[in-house]
Amino acid sequence: MQIGLAVANYESAYGMYPPAFIASEDGTPMHSWRVLILPFLDRPELHAKYDFSQPWNSETNSRLAKEMPDTYAFTGDYDSDLVYTNYVAVLGEDTFWPGQNSRTTEELTDELSSTIVIMENINGKMHWMEPRELMMDTMSFKLNQPNGLGSKYENPAVLMADFFTREIDTKMPKNVFRALLTVNGQEPVDTSGDYWKLLLDGRLRSERDSELDTQN
């Protein structure tokens, strides 16, 4: 997942992971992590055009809405009119994204391979520039819900803190899913592969599911 590489490169450059959002003086979220990592997605020109002195939905920044990087959409779904992303964070005191504060690698004391960084989301209508994400306290832990983990594929995928992508089985228990979202809960997590599997190349996933659709 290119987004994962961008987040990792951001950390290499700044010594910390991007915050979920940059807030105004009164604490109102103004700018999303998806905007902050643009230079690491080979989109420095788009980052340069974005005005951080204005809210994300100001008249100036709104002109950039349809320049969403194609990597923010499911493989094969991108078109020039698309403004909603399929990749979201989960905000919470104990998650990878605590809000306007940044995490450091030292804060991730759970196994990196069992700590979720980014999730797929379908029908959530998250504008790619909007500093709005899922919230740990209010999100749905049922799979394929607009306010939770969801995908156009049979099994949705997540990016872990080791920056490998894994498919989540729809039978994963809620308590296991919740444990994967914390960075320092020290919860025992079954990594045997019963509820998830490594996804080395999302493009192969797309081709596989397309073949299944054709056969059906």
Side-chain angles (χ1 to χ4, degrees):
M1 188 183 289
Q2 290 180 317
I3 300 173
L5 181 59
V7 171
N9 287 339
Y10 183 104
E11 191 279 331
S12 295
Y14 296 109
M16 61 187 68
Y17 296 108
F21 57 83
I22 294 177
S24 64
E25 292 184 0
D26 65 2
T28 302
M30 287 186 67
H31 313 295
S32 169
W33 64 270
R34 283 178 289 269
V35 176
L36 295 178
I37 68 170
L38 286 174
F40 304 97
L41 286 174
D42 295 324
R43 297 299 303 274
E45 81 293 342
L46 181 54
H47 184 268
K49 288 190 288 186
Y50 186 91
D51 189 346
F52 283 90
S53 71
Q54 301 183 32
W56 71 274
N57 55 354
S58 68
E59 181 178 353
T60 297
N61 287 330
S62 292
R63 298 190 186 110
L64 306 178
K66 292 186 179 180
E67 294 189 47
M68 183 181 85
D70 58 2
T71 192
Y72 286 156
F74 286 134
T75 300
D77 283 6
Y78 176 80
D79 67 59
S80 58
D81 291 324
L82 189 63
V83 298
Y84 296 122
T85 182
N86 294 121
Y87 300 101
V88 300
V90 176
L91 274 60
E93 182 179 351
D94 298 319
T95 75
F96 186 90
W97 306 91
Q100 61 181 314
N101 296 320
S102 299
R103 291 276 188 209
T104 63
T105 55
E106 290 76 16
E107 293 179 79
L108 278 58
T109 57
D110 286 351
E111 290 292 332
L112 300 184
S113 61
S114 59
T115 301
I116 292 175
V117 176
I118 296 167
M119 304 198 315
E120 290 184 337
N121 177 266
I122 193 167
N123 298 327
K125 300 295 185 182
M126 298 280 196
H127 193 291
W128 75 274
M129 293 192 303
E130 184 178 6
R132 176 173 66 94
E133 309 294 331
L134 300 177
M135 302 297 294
M136 179 77 155
D137 292 340
T138 59
M139 65 177 282
S140 173
F141 283 88
K142 293 182 179 179
L143 297 189
N144 291 318
Q145 299 295 310
N147 64 330
L149 172 62
S151 180
K152 69 176 185 176
Y153 304 106
E154 180 179 359
N155 293 318
V158 295
L159 177 75
M160 313 304 291
D162 61 358
F163 296 106
F164 282 97
T165 304
R166 287 168 173 78
E167 284 185 310
I168 301 295
D169 191 284
T170 55
K171 299 182 181 66
M172 176 177 280
K174 177 180 176 179
N175 66 308
V176 176
F177 186 17
R178 182 180 287 274
L180 294 177
L181 284 166
T182 64
V183 300
N184 51 18
Q186 301 299 308
E187 309 96 329
V189 176
D190 180 8
T191 58
S192 65
D194 290 341
Y195 299 121
W196 56 2
K197 64 180 179 180
L198 193 62
L199 182 62
L200 292 177
D201 192 330
R203 293 169 297 182
L204 296 179
R205 177 189 183 206
S206 179
E207 292 169 3
R208 180 202 64 197
D209 286 4
S210 295
E211 290 171 1
L212 290 175
D213 289 343
T214 301
Q215 292 171 7
N216 293 334

